[in-house]
Amino acid sequence: MADALGTQWARAGHEVLVGARDGDKAARLAARIGPGARAGGLRDAAGFGDAVLLAVAYDGVKEVLGHAGDLLRGRTVIDCVNGIVHPGVTLATGAGPSVARQIADATGAHVVKAFNLCPDDLWRMTPPLVDGRPLTVPICGDDTDALATVRTLTTDLGCVPADAGGLDRAGVLEATAAYVIGMYIGGVDPRSALPSPM
Ligand SMILES: NC(=O)c1ccc[n+]([C@@H]2O[C@H](COP(=O)([O-])OP(=O)(O)OC[C@H]3O[C@@H](n4cnc5c(N)ncnc54)[C@H](OP(=O)(O)O)[C@@H]3O)[C@@H](O)[C@H]2O)c1
């Protein structure tokens, strides 16, 4: 996800800093993204730019946030994490707080849930299209400025942002991702189970 979205944002003219626990891996990704991208550590990434994309496996979220320490307080954090348990495609968070809420509580960041519903292949398209139409990206968050930043980053991908409620609704996006992934694994187009707009 860091590769897919970082590449698109660099292409749109943004500066990107790739941070990872493995510095060589971060450097390779920054080189692949090309102009506009550079590499650093996790703390460098936590403090860089107008927004931080957390593109980490759910099991690593706590550890990565630990590296960031207090650096994320008050910053815009984009959470695309899906905590999915296989087999069965259930939510790792169970009936507890969403991943987004856990990140917000752990960091004091202005968390915006976004980009978690579609696979990286789609985010690599310029622009991402579904049935020939620009992809809609639901976003959930509480902070006005953070939401505005993520709307801009969504538009810069060539997508259409859709306000999907406050951070309390982030769990809905996480459950929707589990639904979508589960249907695809079962060989069913998840959109075929949804009503067309009246
Ligand atoms: N791929 C998709 O299509 C897609 C779509 C929507 C949402 N998502 C979500 O986006 C997130 C990233 O997915 P991805 O496909 O980009 O995954 P990925 O390519 O496997 O990358 C996951 C990253 O998490 C890092 N990581 C894992 N545990 C860590 C730890 N304990 N400390 C530090 N870093 C750790 C890995 O670092 P190392 O390389 O050092 O192991 C790796 O850089 C996931 O939560 C996923 O559910 C993915």
Side-chain angles (χ1 to χ4, degrees):
M1 290 294 280
D3 188 341
L5 292 169
T7 299
Q8 295 288 27
W9 286 326
R11 190 177 289 153
H14 294 284
E15 281 182 63
V16 172
L17 191 149
V18 181
R21 58 182 169 180
D22 177 342
D24 289 343
K25 197 171 175 184
R28 283 198 299 277
L29 176 52
R32 213 159 53 237
I33 291 174
R38 57 194 154 102
L42 289 168
R43 289 181 63 79
D44 298 317
F48 182 82
D50 295 330
V52 180
L53 172 71
L54 187 67
V56 173
Y58 176 69
D59 289 346
V61 166
K62 209 170 170 184
E63 188 182 325
V64 170
L65 295 182
H67 284 289
D70 212 32
L71 284 172
L72 293 172
R73 182 164 299 282
R75 292 186 34 79
T76 297
V77 170
I78 305 169
D79 162 30
C80 69
V81 173
N82 286 318
I84 304 284
V85 181
H86 295 278
V89 201
T90 54
L91 291 176
T93 50
S98 66
V99 179
R101 175 60 66 196
Q102 290 178 29
I103 296 167
D105 288 348
T107 60
H110 300 309
V111 177
V112 177
K113 188 92 200 179
F115 310 117
N116 71 313
L117 292 187
C118 294
D120 58 307
D121 285 355
L122 199 66
W123 302 118
R124 289 179 202 279
M125 291 174 71
T126 311
L129 298 174
V130 173
D131 295 336
R133 289 180 301 160
L135 178 70
T136 298
V137 179
I139 61 177
C140 288
D142 292 334
D143 184 82
T144 307
D145 292 342
L147 286 167
T149 298
V150 178
R151 273 189 218 107
T152 300
L153 289 170
T154 301
T155 306
D156 288 345
L157 297 172
C159 299
V160 181
D163 291 339
L167 203 65
D168 282 347
R169 291 197 79 236
V172 175
L173 291 189
E174 293 170 15
T176 304
Y179 157 75
V180 168
I181 293 166
M183 292 292 266
Y184 274 125
I185 288 174
V188 180
D189 179 348
R191 293 170 302 169
S192 68
L194 301 173
S196 300
M198 300 292 185

